[in-house]
Amino acid sequence: MALFNRKSNPATPAATATLEVDPALAALTGEYTIDPAHSSIGFTVRHAMVTNVRGSFGDFEGTLSLNGSEPSRSAASIEVRIASVDTGIADRDGHLRSGDFFDAEQFPLMTFRSVAAEQLGGDKYRISGDLTIKDVTRPLSIDLDFNGSATDVYGNERVGFEGSAEILRSDWGLTWNAALETGGVMVSDKIRLAFDISAIKAAPQA
């Protein structure tokens, strides 16, 4: 089921074409708050050229503004607290928080602010925006799958999205590394980001 399902009548001239919107999907239009208890923001990085290390950020918040009739008007905003990084090893997490990597004390937040959204086809979407790490802001596009909507047992209206993106950490000034005796480096430049988002729709304003 596509979140934004728009159809035009091929017999109608393009200049006057009308768009039909599925009422059930258009009803999803609204403001949403990301539920961190049922969402995750993670990453995967190649270690020592032979294996993958996976981690996540446990402390984040964000909002989604969905427009079921005009997907290009949808938007997203996320703030992640760098100090919440967790790879399962305390010493490694401490190194990531240090000045060699994120410098979490001086730059406590990583942020994403969208500037554009588009439907790629079916339930697939792309949201593009600005990712800021250590006061360096660069463009980032995230491909997303719309996983559907539901009303939970507490009466909350929810939507779900799952997506990923790849970045080069050096583009944001994260350049620390160590050479291996056998060739190559300790930490890959390429990072794969993964998002699994559940968001709750805000109650209508009285």
Side-chain angles (χ1 to χ4, degrees):
M1 178 179 72
L3 175 59
F4 309 116
N5 186 20
R6 307 195 298 174
K7 301 178 181 178
S8 61
N9 184 346
T12 304
T16 59
T18 58
L19 298 177
E20 297 178 6
V21 180
D22 184 333
L25 298 175
L28 298 179
T29 296
E31 304 301 314
Y32 292 76
T33 300
I34 293 175
D35 176 10
H38 298 93
S39 302
S40 64
I41 297 176
F43 59 88
T44 304
V45 58
R46 199 76 169 164
H47 177 261
M49 311 293 290
V50 298
T51 190
N52 290 318
V53 169
R54 293 175 174 80
S56 62
F57 295 94
D59 188 356
F60 56 88
E61 59 186 25
T63 58
L64 306 178
S65 179
L66 302 183
N67 191 309
S69 301
E70 296 183 66
S72 63
R73 297 180 62 184
S74 296
S77 176
I78 300 174
E79 291 189 350
V80 178
R81 294 203 170 275
I82 294 298
S84 69
V85 65
D86 181 7
T87 64
I89 297 179
D91 286 347
R92 182 166 58 203
D93 296 342
H95 192 197
L96 289 173
R97 296 184 190 106
S98 76
D100 283 344
F101 285 96
F102 289 112
D103 196 355
E105 185 173 345
Q106 184 174 354
F107 306 102
L109 294 178
M110 172 172 60
T111 64
F112 176 78
R113 304 282 187 268
S114 71
V115 298
E118 60 180 315
Q119 182 178 7
L120 303 179
D123 291 331
K124 296 186 178 297
Y125 299 85
R126 177 172 294 148
I127 190 161
S128 301
D130 295 323
L131 176 65
T132 300
I133 305 174
K134 295 180 71 172
D135 276 359
V136 176
T137 300
R138 295 183 62 87
L140 173 68
S141 292
I142 304 170
D143 288 342
L144 296 165
D145 289 325
F146 173 54
N147 289 338
S149 62
T151 301
D152 66 23
V153 295
Y154 302 104
N156 298 312
E157 295 182 59
R158 292 179 178 267
V159 293
F161 291 91
E162 186 175 0
S164 63
E166 288 188 350
I167 65 171
L168 298 179
R169 61 188 178 91
S170 58
D171 287 344
W172 282 266
L174 303 174
T175 57
W176 182 91
N177 227 321
L180 302 175
E181 292 184 4
T182 54
V185 292
M186 180 69 74
V187 184
S188 66
D189 192 18
K190 182 184 292 185
I191 307 292
R192 181 175 177 81
L193 305 175
F195 306 87
D196 201 343
I197 301 297
S198 177
I200 298 173
K201 190 174 187 179
Q205 299 253 337

